[in-house]
């Protein structure tokens, strides 16, 4: 095996490669289903993040008298978008970690130090992203949570699911207590709080850096008690789903019905609580949205698996986006921050939810076109390649391609 030949985590080793006697072939080809699911995730996450690209801490500010269109869009978000794609990303990250662990072992390599290097550099890139570009970063959380998830990679499928449930529900309890205790200020467009936040987040870049540093510092303190456990739980769920063949076959009809009932019922309760406009109930609505996102993320997996059928010729544009997930995620932040804080900050005063939705749709089309065009000339995204270089440069053995 050539020392400079990259190994893709979804494909078999190159022809003629010599593996240890104990090694097993993990897969026979690149998993088109996973590429398409990742593409859906990276496009979908922008529909949620776009509200926070301007005023990152509070996000979208509704009107004092809620608009009907806002309520309709928010109900749609709670059913299909809010937290759904972050959960999907986290599940996929767990899948990637597990496949890479198997892949390194199949090559007779020590997997843990290589994955540890990968996660350390992801944390570093997350800090850079969060401080210099957009403090809504999720990469730092992925890096921290990945270390925790790796501790349980050898558990059985059932044990992985039990551990995932413990982590997820424990984290949600703590998150609920934190959000309820701090839900004392109403953030509406006519409030002084909105004016204060608008002034702060549209000030000079130097002032924004200070705000972002403070927010990233706060998140770094909170993550070990909240998001680390939630995200690691989702990663463990991803490992379990991968091993039981979900990314090849989807779910059974019975399981799918259970997922639909769970997601829809929890989402409807979250919508009703959110419509009350009472801070404490809205905080509870957010928690239910996080819980309902988990079955909905699995429904999305099932839908893509059944449509794509692991074929590189089906949902090709979506697969292309998935192959550039890291680069496109960072590009979303750059574009969003430039537009809402520097080029046209007045949009924060003017746009309602439906207009944000239109902007997200238009930019999704741009990303689909950009990914297809880029992959005509290059085999790997720029940040995917850079991350791989940083993570594996000290090893003479061929690295595994990185994915969010």
């Amino acid at each position: 095996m050539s020392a400079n030949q990259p190994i893709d985590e979804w494909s078999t080793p190159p022809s003629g490669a010599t593996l240890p006697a104990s090694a097993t072939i993990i897969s026979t080809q690149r998993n088109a289903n996973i590429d398409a699911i990742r593409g859906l995730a990276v496009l979908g996450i922008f529909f949620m993040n776009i509200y926070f690209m301007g005023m990152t801490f509070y996000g979208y500010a509704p009107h004092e008298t809620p608009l009907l269109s806002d309520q309709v869009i928010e109900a749609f978000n709670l059913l299909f978008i809010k937290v759904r794609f972050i959960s999907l990303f986290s599940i996929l990250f767990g899948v990637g970690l597990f496949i890479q662990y198997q892949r390194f072992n199949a090559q007779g390599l020590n997997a843990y130090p290589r994955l540890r290097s990968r996660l350390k550099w992801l944390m570093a890139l997350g800090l850079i992203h969060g401080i210099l570009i957009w403090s809504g970063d999720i990469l730092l959380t992925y890096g921290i949570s990945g270390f925790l998830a790796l501790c349980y990679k050898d558990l059985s499928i059932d044990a992985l699911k039990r551990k995932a449930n413990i982590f997820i529900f424990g984290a949600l309890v703590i998150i609920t207590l934190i959000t309820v205790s701090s839900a004392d200020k109403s953030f509406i467009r006519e409030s002084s709080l909105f004016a204060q936040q608008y002034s702060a987040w549209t000030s000079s870049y130097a002032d924004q850096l200070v705000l972002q540093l403070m927010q990233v510092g706060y998140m770094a303190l909170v993550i070990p008690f909240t998001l680390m456990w939630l995200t690691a739980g989702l990663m463990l769920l991803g490992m379990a789903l991968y091993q039981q063949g979900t990314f090849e076959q989807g779910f059974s009809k019975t399981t799918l019905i259970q997922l639909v009932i769970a997601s829809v019922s929890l989402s409807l309760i979250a919508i009703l609580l959110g419509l009350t406009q009472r801070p404490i109930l809205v905080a509870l609505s957010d928690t239910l949205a996080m819980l309902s996102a988990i079955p909905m993320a699995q429904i999305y997996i099932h839908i893509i698996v059944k449509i794509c059928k692991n074929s590189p010729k089906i949902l090709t544009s979506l697969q292309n986006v998935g192959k550039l997930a890291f680069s496109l995620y960072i590009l979303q932040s750059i574009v969003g921050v430039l537009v809402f804080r520097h080029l046209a900050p007045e949009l924060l005063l003017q746009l309602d939810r439906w207009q944000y939705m239109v902007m997200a749709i238009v930019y999704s089309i741009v990303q689909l076109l950009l990914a297809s065009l880029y992959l005509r000339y290059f085999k790997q995204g720029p940040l995917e390649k850079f991350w791989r270089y940083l993570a594996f440069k000290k090893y003479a053995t061929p690295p595994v391609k990185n994915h969010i």
Side-chain angles (χ1 to χ4, degrees), residues 41-252:
V42 76
L43 292 180
I45 199 172
F46 187 67
F47 280 80
M48 187 189 80
N49 286 347
I50 190 172
Y51 297 112
F52 295 85
M53 293 297 184
M55 291 173 278
T56 305
F57 191 79
Y58 286 97
Y60 180 78
H63 296 271
E64 185 174 7
T65 301
L67 301 177
L68 177 60
S69 61
D70 271 9
Q71 293 177 327
V72 171
I73 295 296
E74 179 63 358
F76 179 85
N77 287 340
L78 282 168
L79 277 168
F80 300 108
I81 295 176
K82 194 169 185 177
V83 198
R84 273 71 179 148
F85 298 104
I86 290 180
S87 298
L88 189 55
F89 252 23
S90 301
I91 290 171
L92 289 170
F93 195 90
V95 173
L97 277 180
F98 185 80
I99 292 176
Q100 288 187 326
Y101 178 77
Q102 288 187 314
R103 185 68 63 190
F104 281 128
N105 283 340
Q107 297 177 59
L109 304 173
N110 190 350
Y112 186 75
R114 289 166 172 81
L115 294 180
R116 182 177 59 192
S117 177
R118 179 186 188 233
L119 293 172
K120 284 182 176 179
W121 278 110
L122 183 65
M123 292 168 62
L125 293 172
L127 285 172
I128 294 171
H129 173 228
I131 296 172
L132 299 183
I133 303 175
W134 184 57
S135 51
D137 169 76
I138 195 64
L139 303 179
L140 176 61
T141 301
Y142 279 178
I144 296 173
S145 302
F147 278 104
L148 179 59
L150 280 176
C151 297
Y152 303 96
K153 62 188 178 304
D154 296 321
L155 295 179
S156 66
I157 293 175
D158 289 339
L160 281 170
K161 289 182 178 180
R162 287 195 297 269
K163 188 66 68 173
N165 289 336
I166 292 172
F167 285 179
I168 291 169
F169 285 102
L172 287 178
V173 169
I174 298 174
I175 290 172
T176 300
L177 293 174
I178 293 175
T179 54
V180 168
S181 64
S182 60
D184 56 353
K185 292 184 178 180
S186 180
F187 185 65
I188 57 176
R189 204 165 299 192
E190 294 81 5
S191 67
S192 60
L193 179 59
F194 173 81
Q196 177 188 19
Q197 288 291 307
Y198 176 79
S199 176
W201 287 106
T202 57
S203 58
S204 68
Y205 178 64
D207 291 337
Q208 291 180 30
L209 282 181
V210 174
L211 289 173
Q212 294 187 164
L213 180 60
M214 292 173 60
Q215 188 166 347
V216 171
Y218 169 78
M219 291 304 300
L221 293 175
V222 172
I223 286 171
F225 302 99
T226 54
L227 292 180
M228 179 184 75
W229 300 95
L230 175 62
T231 307
L234 292 169
M235 291 178 183
L236 296 180
L237 176 60
M239 294 179 185
L241 294 178
Y242 175 77
Q243 292 183 72
Q244 72 181 28
T246 301
F247 291 90
E248 296 285 347
Q249 303 168 358
F251 294 100
S252 67

Side-chain angles (χ1 to χ4, degrees), residues 256-269:
L256 183 62
I257 292 174
Q258 292 172 344
L259 292 172
V260 171
I261 292 173
S263 182
V264 172
S265 58
L266 290 171
S267 298
L268 290 177
I269 297 173

Side-chain angles (χ1 to χ4, degrees), residues 305-317:
V305 166
K306 292 302 182 182
I307 294 175
C308 187
K309 299 177 181 178
N310 210 13
S311 170
K313 297 181 180 180
I314 302 176
L315 299 179
T316 304
S317 295

Side-chain angles (χ1 to χ4, degrees), residues 297-355:
Q298 295 177 75
I299 293 170
Y300 286 147
I301 291 171
H302 177 85
I303 292 172
I304 295 298
V305 166
K306 292 302 182 182
I307 294 175
C308 187
K309 299 177 181 178
N310 210 13
S311 170
K313 297 181 180 180
I314 302 176
L315 299 179
T316 304
S317 295
L318 205 57
Q319 292 182 46
N320 290 338
V321 171
K323 294 173 184 177
L324 302 178
F326 192 3
S327 297
L328 290 176
Y329 170 71
I330 299 299
L331 185 60
Q332 288 175 0
S333 298
I334 294 173
V335 171
V337 168
L338 280 176
V339 169
F340 291 112
R341 294 189 195 167
H342 301 283
L343 299 179
E346 66 276 5
L347 291 176
L348 298 173
L349 304 172
Q350 302 167 359
L351 297 183
D352 298 321
R353 285 193 181 276
W354 72 269
Q355 293 164 311

